[in-house]
């Protein structure tokens, strides 16, 4: 039922249908949806962009293709660009070269000048560069530089996202809702992969908007539309929201206890740089992303070159692990918050979630290696492994807000800068491993590193 309430601050009437913090979470989750769609779709799109004969030497006898699968796409179309494997690896990693650079400055700025407008600016820049992506790729033809720069620019822009997210969650969410808030937000990131990967595969195999360029245009337009909604309906904090109900405002403030979230405090750099908790978080973040980003960027290539899936099947199957990831993250966050309400130590809960995520993913990546050419079991193990990885959102990723809610943005920025080095290091390492040919053996080394 829609209730009419008085504005908390100036008495204006407004309609309250959904709590303001839920609207914030919804739009934040949709923002992360777009962020991870931009991060991951190129892994599928590049299969259609490059000419087939320039991929690594394949040993087809290892994993014979089914009659229904002829690799790349059903129509036998070849890509436009003669990019070598090393050039493709650079393009796939370009986003992360930029991404790690802006993490720490963004964390500082989010604490000092506000996260709402930085978040909006980030996705606006990303959307515009996505619209320019096909033009840049064709401008360079066999040179990757123009297209590389668009991906680098997107990474620079999106480096602002997670520090802004943590800053705003610390301001908007009561303590006992934070695990769920972070998991719901990151569920958007997983769903970004769930939707964008099969959609990319489908569009690359069709003639709509020229095939592979279509996904660049659609994501670019979607980002620009999202920015409008974000600006209109999201506010920096409950204190600046003109229409939040007094009941919800009191609930948030009471739920934050003795925390005083302010942007005026001096950042305690000495405490941050000398805290072993911070460095433990960096190690956890680095390890998490080495496995996660290896799969995000390279899984479509593995499905195409080793298991010989066509591009539509590739996009669809590549999305399945992220569906499992979303389901597990939501279940884990709900259980974690309920146990926290009952007095279970939050540090213990974070460690349990982290252990399930890391050990579970590692075990099932080993199982993928052992399954070899068996497509069914490879897919099952990928799905379970990345699904269990969803517990990490109630593990170390939620810990930044627990450690120092007043500096959650700078902590996320500082740790995420180092934690996302695998975004470009993992593809480069994989490229070196299989430079003399993509085989089950060489790919197993990549997955062993992910473990």
């Amino acid at each position: 039922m829609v209730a009419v309430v008085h504005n908390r601050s100036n008495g204006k009437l407004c309609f309250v249908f959904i709590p303001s913090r839920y609207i914030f979470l919804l739009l934040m989750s949709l923002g992360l949806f777009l962020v991870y769609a931009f991060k991951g779709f190129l892994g599928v799109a590049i299969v259609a962009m490059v000419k087939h004969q320039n991929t690594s030497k394949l040993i087809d006898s290892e994993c014979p293709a089914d009659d229904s699968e002829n690799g790349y796409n059903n129509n036998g179309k070849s890509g436009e660009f003669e990019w070598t494997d090393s050039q493709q690896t650079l393009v796939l990693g370009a986003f992360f070269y930029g991404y790690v650079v802006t993490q720490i400055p963004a964390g500082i700025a989010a604490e000092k000048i506000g996260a709402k407008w930085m978040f909006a600016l980030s996705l606006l820049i990303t959307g515009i560069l996505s619209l320019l992506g096909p033009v840049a790729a064709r401008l360079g033809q066999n040179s990757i530089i123009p297209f590389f720069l668009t991906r680098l620019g997107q990474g620079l822009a999106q480096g602002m996202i997670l520090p802004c997210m943590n800053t705003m969650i610390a301001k908007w969410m009561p303590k006992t809702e934070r695990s769920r808030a972070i998991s719901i937000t990151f569920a958007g990131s997983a769903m970004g992969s769930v939707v964008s990967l099969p959609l990319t595969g489908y569009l690359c195999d069709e003639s709509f908007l020229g095939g592979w360029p279509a996904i660049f245009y659609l994501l670019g337009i979607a980002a620009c539309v999202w920015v409008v909604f974000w600006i209109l309906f999201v506010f920096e904090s409950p204190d600046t929201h003109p229409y939040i109900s007094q009941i919800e405002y009191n609930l948030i403030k009471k739920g934050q206890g003795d925390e005083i979230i302010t942007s005026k405090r001096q950042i305690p750099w000495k405490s941050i740089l000398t805290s072993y908790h911070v460095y433990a978080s960096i190690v956890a973040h680095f390890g998490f992303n080495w496995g996660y980003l290896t799969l995000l960027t390279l899984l479509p290539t593995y499905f195409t070159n080793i298991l010989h899936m066509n591009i539509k099947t590739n996009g669809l199957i590549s999305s399945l692990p992220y569906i499992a990831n979303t389901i597990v993250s939501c279940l884990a966050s709900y259980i974690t918050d309920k146990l926290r309400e009952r007095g279970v130590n939050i540090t213990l809960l974070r460690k349990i979630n982290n252990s399930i995520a890391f050990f579970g993913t590692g075990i099932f990546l080993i199982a993928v290696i052992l399954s070899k050419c068996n497509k069914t079991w490879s897919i099952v193990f990928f799905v379970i492994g990345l699904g269990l990885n969803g517990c990490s959102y109630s593990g170390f990723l939620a810990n930044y807000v627990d450690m120092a809610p007043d500096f959650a943005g700078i902590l996320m920025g500082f740790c995420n800068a180092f934690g996302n080095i695998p975004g470009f290091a993992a593809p480069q390492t994989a490229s070196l491993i299989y430079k003399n040919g993509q085989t089950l053996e060489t790919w197993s080394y990549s997955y062993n590193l992910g473990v």
Side-chain angles (χ1 to χ4, degrees):
M1 179 177 180
V2 177
V4 180
V5 300
H6 287 280
N7 183 300
R8 185 180 58 82
S9 57
N10 57 24
K12 290 181 181 178
L13 290 176
C14 64
F15 291 98
V16 178
F17 180 66
I18 304 174
S20 298
R21 69 189 188 282
Y22 292 174
I23 295 173
F24 155 69
L25 278 182
L26 173 63
L27 285 169
M28 180 73 80
S29 184
L30 290 175
L32 265 287
F33 173 99
L34 289 168
V35 166
Y36 275 75
F38 282 118
K39 270 188 180 181
F41 83 94
L42 188 60
V44 175
I46 201 167
V47 175
M49 293 171 68
V50 300
K51 292 185 178 179
H52 305 165
Q53 63 268 27
N54 290 293
T55 58
S56 287
K57 302 162 190 170
L58 305 177
I59 303 179
D60 295 323
S61 60
E62 284 195 297
C63 295
D66 296 338
D67 292 338
S68 60
E69 304 272 12
N70 63 356
Y72 304 104
N73 56 55
N74 290 330
N75 299 323
K77 295 180 291 188
S78 183
E80 300 179 35
F81 309 111
E82 295 182 355
W83 294 345
T84 64
D85 277 330
S86 60
Q87 287 178 315
Q88 292 176 52
T89 300
L90 283 171
V91 166
L92 289 172
F95 180 97
F96 297 96
Y97 285 109
Y99 190 73
V100 300
V101 171
T102 49
Q103 291 289 323
I104 296 176
I108 297 171
E111 304 288 354
K112 295 295 183 182
I113 66 176
K116 171 188 172 178
W117 291 102
M118 289 180 60
F119 203 118
L121 179 64
S122 171
L123 270 178
L124 179 62
I125 292 172
T126 303
I128 292 172
L129 288 173
S130 181
L131 294 172
L132 295 175
V135 176
R138 286 166 173 159
L139 182 66
Q141 281 299 320
N142 295 331
S143 170
I144 63 170
I145 293 176
F147 186 67
F148 178 93
L149 291 175
T150 64
R151 291 293 290 176
L152 180 70
Q154 288 179 319
L156 287 167
Q158 288 199 16
M160 297 186 276
I161 294 292
L162 292 188
C164 291
M165 181 199 79
N166 270 28
T167 297
M168 294 190 73
I169 285 177
K171 293 177 180 178
W172 270 100
M173 305 308 297
K175 291 180 180 179
T176 55
E177 293 182 8
R178 285 178 180 167
S179 290
R180 276 170 287 179
I182 290 171
S183 289
I184 288 169
T185 302
F186 275 104
S189 69
M191 291 306 296
S193 300
V194 168
V195 174
S196 67
L197 295 178
L199 180 61
T200 301
Y202 177 81
L203 291 174
C204 285
D205 206 33
E206 301 296 326
S207 59
F208 177 68
L209 294 177
W212 64 264
I215 190 65
F216 288 83
Y217 300 141
L218 290 180
L219 288 178
I221 292 170
C224 294
V225 171
W226 176 91
V227 168
V228 174
F229 282 91
W230 176 262
I231 291 172
L232 291 176
F233 295 110
V234 172
F235 295 83
E236 186 68 30
S237 70
D239 295 308
T240 61
H241 198 302
Y243 305 124
I244 189 173
S245 70
Q246 187 68 50
I247 293 173
E248 184 182 11
Y249 180 83
N250 292 341
L251 183 151
I252 293 170
K253 292 301 180 181
K254 182 179 179 181
Q256 291 175 344
D258 57 359
E259 292 178 358
I260 302 175
I261 312 300
T262 175
S263 60
K264 302 301 181 182
R265 292 187 179 183
Q266 184 176 359
I267 297 171
W269 282 110
K270 182 178 179 181
S271 297
I272 291 173
L273 294 174
T274 57
S275 171
Y276 72 88
H277 300 288
V278 171
Y279 291 103
S281 297
I282 290 174
V283 172
H285 211 138
F286 186 95
F288 166 80
N289 273 338
W290 190 282
Y292 187 88
L293 296 177
T294 294
L295 294 179
L296 183 66
T297 56
L298 297 178
L299 190 59
T301 301
Y302 178 78
F303 282 158
T304 293
N305 291 348
I306 301 301
L307 298 184
H308 306 298
M309 295 181 185
N310 65 55
I311 197 165
K312 284 185 177 178
T313 304
N314 188 335
L316 179 62
I317 298 301
S318 294
S319 71
L320 294 180
Y322 301 98
I323 296 176
N325 185 276
T326 301
I327 294 171
V328 171
S329 68
C330 291
L331 288 174
S333 66
Y334 178 81
I335 294 170
T336 298
D337 279 343
K338 288 300 180 183
L339 290 174
R340 187 176 187 179
E341 289 174 4
R342 295 183 181 183
V344 180
N345 182 272
I346 187 58
T347 302
L348 176 63
L349 292 172
R350 299 294 185 224
K351 288 180 178 178
I352 290 173
N353 277 297
N354 242 36
S355 297
I356 294 172
F358 281 59
F359 287 112
T361 301
I363 289 169
F364 283 98
L365 275 181
I366 292 173
V368 169
I369 296 169
L370 298 176
S371 64
K372 296 186 177 180
C373 294
N374 190 310
K375 289 185 182 180
T376 301
W377 283 112
S378 292
I379 293 166
V380 168
F381 293 142
F382 272 125
V383 170
I384 297 175
L386 195 53
L388 291 175
N389 200 251
C391 290
S392 60
Y393 302 129
S394 295
F396 79 93
L397 282 168
N399 201 42
Y400 297 120
V401 180
D402 295 333
M403 289 168 63
D406 215 31
F407 303 104
I410 185 61
L411 279 179
M412 171 59 86
F414 182 73
C415 297
N416 204 33
F418 294 98
N420 272 274
I421 290 174
F424 56 83
Q428 288 284 1
T429 302
S431 178
L432 290 173
I433 289 172
Y434 57 66
K435 65 180 180 180
N436 293 322
Q438 295 189 34
T439 67
L440 283 170
E441 181 181 4
T442 55
W443 272 94
S444 72
Y445 299 149
S446 296
Y447 291 134
N448 277 325
L449 286 174
V451 173

